[in-house]
Amino acid sequence: MSAETVSVTGWGRTAPTTARLIRPRTYEEAAAAVRDCGPRGGIARGLGRAYGDAAQNAGGAVLDMTGLDRVHVIDAADGIVLCDAGVSLHRLMRVLLPLGWFVPVTPGTRQVTVGGAIGADIHGKNHHVCGAFSRHVLSFELLTADGEVRTVSRGTPLFDATTGGMGLTGVILTATVQLQPVETALMSVDTERARDLDDLMARLSASDDRYRYSVAWIDLLARGAATGRAVLTRGNHAPLEALGTRARREPLAFRTCRLPAMPAHLPEGLLTRTTVGLFNELWYRRAPRARTGQLQSISAFFHPLDGVPHWNRVYGRGGLVQYQFVVGYGQEETLRRIVRRVSERRCPSFLAVLKRFGDADPGWLSFPVPGWTLALDIPASLPGLGALLDELDEEVAGAGGRVYLAKDSRLRPELLAAMYPRLDDFRALRAELDPRAVFVSDLSRRLSL
């Protein structure tokens, strides 16, 4: 087990804090690290894709769990995998796709660990059909503050507190996950343009039930009659008969594309209203008005940005804020107001996506609830950004919505209870399970979790 003092940030590269980074290689080393993490406590960390401060711990310990990355058992008949929490979704895809199985839920990057997927209760383009990641987790092993390793099954309070609990109930060591069967490693994709936000919502509401995966890119710099114009992309796993002769030779081959990494230092000011406006215009214009049945690789459909290592560097040294919220069905006017406000402020966001959520997940701090979720990336250096997002938080909370803790870096704590009604239950269980506050993070301190 190695340890060093380092500066740690989230994927947004904002608010760095210094911590002792510990790299356990065995379960015993993980337990020793928890016992010895010191008065400032510790928090588990995976591949660092939480945008904000959820996997940071100023002055304390951060446990890098990526060294625990074994795939223990694959039940190829029933599609069940038992693996360490440090295994990435990327590795699972490489191992499982040739066997005809796919991860049940994936976010916009496959560079997340299974432990991180559970702690953040990640969602993907298929939440309206499949729910969040926790719905497909059968059980996990959790190292708690008392040094005990507990087997936690779904349907129990500890399961529901841990899924979406941002690592604050303990360190996940292993997980057993139910997989999704597939015939090929390709997607059959339909793409269409929507002229404005109302047109987009109507299209999503009318036909999303035909697709397992659905997402819309929104041009948040468009104004007037074009406010909320979008490119809607939806797909299903391609059946074997949809493939040509050549592709049928290796129907389950997992292929990825990797471009050169972003330079460590880029000039400031690359993402201005002008440059992002040009990008958005080109992206919208080059999208087909309507195209059906295009075959795309899994990596191209789900994870296009993974092909550009360190793409977050394009935002410069100031980093980026990803703001993601959800408001329920029936609160469409709140969504319209927020889109109009962001558009009128000319926020230079070229990564803005809208999705529909299905039924709420059981995790007490899980983010998804039935409704509309919008995520947008904004340069952290944008003047007046903090005040704008504070105002949007008030809108979201007033509409009964919430923001996503795995992406948050600046929410005010007084709004948290309104957004997460099971917050008191979470705090009570955590106080009982971890009375000495062994598991803490910058996020938990900021929000009094």
Side-chain angles (χ1 to χ4, degrees), residues 140-161:
F140 52 81
E141 288 184 307
L142 186 71
L143 172 63
T144 50
D146 55 8
E148 182 180 345
V149 176
R150 307 173 187 229
T151 299
V152 184
S153 300
R154 60 182 176 185
T156 62
L158 186 52
F159 188 98
D160 292 344

Side-chain angles (χ1 to χ4, degrees), residues 392-406:
L392 298 189
D393 288 342
E394 296 281 358
E395 286 253 19
V396 170
R402 57 184 58 166
V403 300
Y404 191 15
L405 296 182

Side-chain angles (χ1 to χ4, degrees), residues 9 108 182-183 267 295 314 330 406 426:
T9 73
V182 294
E183 294 183 15
L295 292 180
V314 75
F426 178 82

Side-chain angles (χ1 to χ4, degrees), residues 221 271-278 344-348 382-383:
L221 284 174
L271 298 182
T272 65
R273 293 182 178 95
T274 300
T275 58
V276 174
L278 288 172
E344 289 165 359
R345 283 291 302 272
R346 309 291 287 158
C347 292
L382 185 72

Side-chain angles (χ1 to χ4, degrees), residues 219-236:
D219 180 1
L220 288 179
L221 284 174
R223 292 184 292 180
T227 298
R229 69 178 181 177
V231 178
L232 176 56
T233 306
R234 296 181 284 189
N236 295 305

Side-chain angles (χ1 to χ4, degrees), residues 4-9 15-21 45 56:
E4 60 180 324
T5 299
V6 298
S7 178
V8 182
T9 73
T17 54
T18 300
R20 187 163 53 101
L21 186 68
R45 181 181 176 93
Q56 297 174 221

Side-chain angles (χ1 to χ4, degrees), residues 2 11 13 19 61 73 81 90 130 147 151 161 251 259 267 278 309 342 399 435 449:
S2 63
W11 189 245
R13 305 174 74 207
V73 179
V81 63
H90 172 82
C130 297
T151 299
L259 300 174
L278 288 172
V342 173
L449 286 171

